[in-house]
Amino acid sequence: MYLSKDVAHKFSKMVAAAKKDGVNHFLISSGFREFEEQKALYQDMGDDYALPPGHSEHNLGLALDVGSTETSMYHASEGEWIKENAWKHGFILRYPEDKVDVTGIEYEPWHIRYVGLPHSAIMEKKNFVLEEYLDYLKEKKEISIEVKGVKYTVSYYSFSKNLTINIPENSEYEISGNNINGVIVTVYEK
Ligand SMILES: [Zn+2]
């Protein structure tokens, strides 16, 4: 299985935390998928079960399918644990049961995506899926939150040719695209 290095590290940490709670029968059934692999999957499985190449989060290296060696994720304690705790480690359950109308994808208790803190914490607090979070951020322009003693400020900028972003001098920051029309800047204290 291939994953982004950072995501693989975060996932290992999360699994170690689950083990402390007595939940330790995780398996990974899918990580990063090449376009060719996605194409074959799409052709074999059809569009109820797979997305076309370039449209699957598995083509990003940020998503993975997690299972349990005990039973199906619909019933496994691994699934229950992920639902409750993944956000603490920067992961989100990407296609929850109660958000099928928003995501357009059937409930997938196995598919998690790394978005990082504080984003996963904000989404948990507001009960947002990624689509709702991006809309909310775009509307609010700026969100502040404290997670595990670290203060974060998340800002949204619409993308323009001469975009200037000011970053506080003594802070760490991350800049990412929203893959639509803007830039998300996350600033936190060292
Ligand atoms: Zn998946």
Side-chain angles (χ1 to χ4, degrees), residues 33 58 65 108 110-111:
R33 283 182 211 142
H58 288 284
D65 293 339
E108 291 195 356
W110 53 83
H111 182 106

Side-chain angles (χ1 to χ4, degrees), residues 117-119 122 133 137 140-145 151-157 174 183-188:
L117 284 169
H119 311 291
I122 299 168
Y133 176 53
L137 189 56
K140 288 274 172 190
K141 303 273 190 274
E142 191 172 296
I143 305 167
S144 292
I145 186 173
K151 283 179 191 158
Y152 295 88
T153 304
V154 184
S155 311
Y156 171 84
Y157 297 83
E174 280 166 18
V183 177
I184 296 164
V185 181
T186 307
V187 176
Y188 53 99

Side-chain angles (χ1 to χ4, degrees), residues 2-112:
Y2 288 92
L3 282 172
S4 297
K5 207 172 185 179
D6 190 35
V7 175
H9 283 301
K10 304 281 188 207
F11 182 73
S12 300
K13 270 194 173 173
M14 179 165 79
V15 168
K19 195 176 179 184
K20 280 189 190 158
D21 293 340
V23 180
N24 57 354
H25 292 95
F26 285 101
L27 64 85
I28 301 177
S29 57
S30 188
F32 170 73
R33 283 182 211 142
E34 298 278 4
F35 274 36
E36 281 307 309
E37 194 185 348
Q38 188 70 34
K39 199 171 150 188
L41 193 73
Y42 183 63
Q43 280 163 356
D44 291 351
M45 306 285 285
D47 55 12
D48 282 345
Y49 294 96
L51 288 164
H55 293 261
S56 167
E57 295 198 332
H58 288 284
N59 303 147
L60 290 172
L62 299 175
L64 60 162
D65 293 339
V66 179
S68 166
T69 56
E70 306 275 272
T71 180
S72 112
M73 279 300 263
Y74 292 103
H75 311 290
S77 43
E78 283 69 27
E80 203 52 45
W81 193 92
I82 288 275
K83 213 188 276 179
E84 295 287 311
N85 301 289
W87 68 271
K88 296 174 192 165
H89 304 273
F91 287 90
I92 56 166
L93 195 61
R94 185 65 182 85
Y95 306 116
E97 200 167 10
D98 58 341
K99 299 283 182 171
V100 174
D101 56 332
V102 183
T103 63
I105 307 275
E106 286 301 314
Y107 176 40
E108 291 195 356
W110 53 83
H111 182 106
I112 59 174

